């Protein structure tokens, strides 16, 4: 019996607080929640990359990491990140941050969990 799971996670709206100063309170809170989830995801990737030196992988850090847990553990797990970027100079900083984050995820070896040195 073969089993598979396909998860699509949309992280659109992860802006810096300074960019959302004129936005509504609910929009700012949503952006803060997304950023919290991204931070938790980064911590999970970091913990997986250290291999055996960390005994605890913080999957409970956010709902996002709980949902994606099966995508990170196991020999047959695969993960793909699609980063949406803008060619506009006005979005240069956000685009660079997105590309750096995606590059860090890309470097993770699914078998060993280690991050490639770049």
């Amino acid at each position: 019996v073969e089993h598979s799971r396909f998860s699509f996670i949309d992280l659109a709206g992860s802006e810096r607080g300074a960019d959302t100063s004129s936005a509504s309170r609910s929009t700012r809170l949503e952006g803060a929640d997304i950023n919290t989830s991204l931070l938790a995801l980064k911590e999970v990737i970091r913990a997986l990359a250290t291999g055996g030196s960390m005994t605890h992988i913080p999957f409970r850090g956010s709902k996002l990491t709980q949902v994606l847990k099966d995508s990170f553990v196991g020999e047959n797990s695969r993960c793909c990140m699609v980063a949406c970027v803008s060619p506009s100079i006005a979005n240069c900083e956000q685009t660079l941050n997105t590309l750096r984050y995606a590059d860090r995820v890309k470097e993770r070896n699914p078998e060993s969990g280690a991050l490639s040195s770049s």
Side-chain angles (χ1 to χ4, degrees), residues 71-104:
S71 299
F72 284 111
V73 294
E75 292 180 18
N76 295 325
S77 65
R78 298 291 183 261
C79 188
C80 174
M81 179 180 212
V82 178
C84 298
V85 297
S86 170
S88 171
I89 193 70
N91 297 319
C92 182
E93 187 176 349
Q94 289 91 342
T95 295
L96 285 173
N97 287 337
T98 299
L99 290 173
R100 285 183 193 116
Y101 193 91
D103 187 57
R104 198 72 176 145

Side-chain angles (χ1 to χ4, degrees):
V1 174
E2 290 188 33
H3 175 77
S4 63
R5 176 183 296 183
F6 215 69
S7 300
F8 287 98
I9 309 295
D10 180 8
L11 297 173
S14 57
E15 298 93 6
R16 296 178 312 146
D19 295 339
T20 60
S21 59
S22 62
S24 69
R25 184 182 191 311
S26 62
T27 301
R28 289 192 311 269
L29 289 174
E30 181 181 312
D33 286 342
I34 291 170
N35 288 335
T36 300
S37 292
L38 285 171
L39 179 62
L41 181 58
K42 180 180 175 183
E43 292 302 317
V44 165
I45 292 167
R46 180 178 294 150
L48 288 168
T50 60
S53 64
M54 270 189 97
T55 57
H56 173 70
I57 309 296
F59 286 112
R60 292 186 180 181
S62 74
K63 290 180 184 177
L64 173 67
T65 54
Q66 289 174 8
V67 168
L68 292 177
K69 180 178 180 179
D70 291 339
S71 299
F72 284 111
V73 294
E75 292 180 18
N76 295 325
S77 65
R78 298 291 183 261
C79 188
C80 174
M81 179 180 212
V82 178
C84 298
V85 297
S86 170
S88 171
I89 193 70
N91 297 319
C92 182
E93 187 176 349
Q94 289 91 342
T95 295
L96 285 173
N97 287 337
T98 299
L99 290 173
R100 285 183 193 116
Y101 193 91
D103 187 57
R104 198 72 176 145
V105 172
K106 173 193 73 147
E107 293 174 358
R108 184 181 171 275
N109 182 326
E111 283 79 31
S112 68
L115 292 178
S116 306
S117 58
S118 49

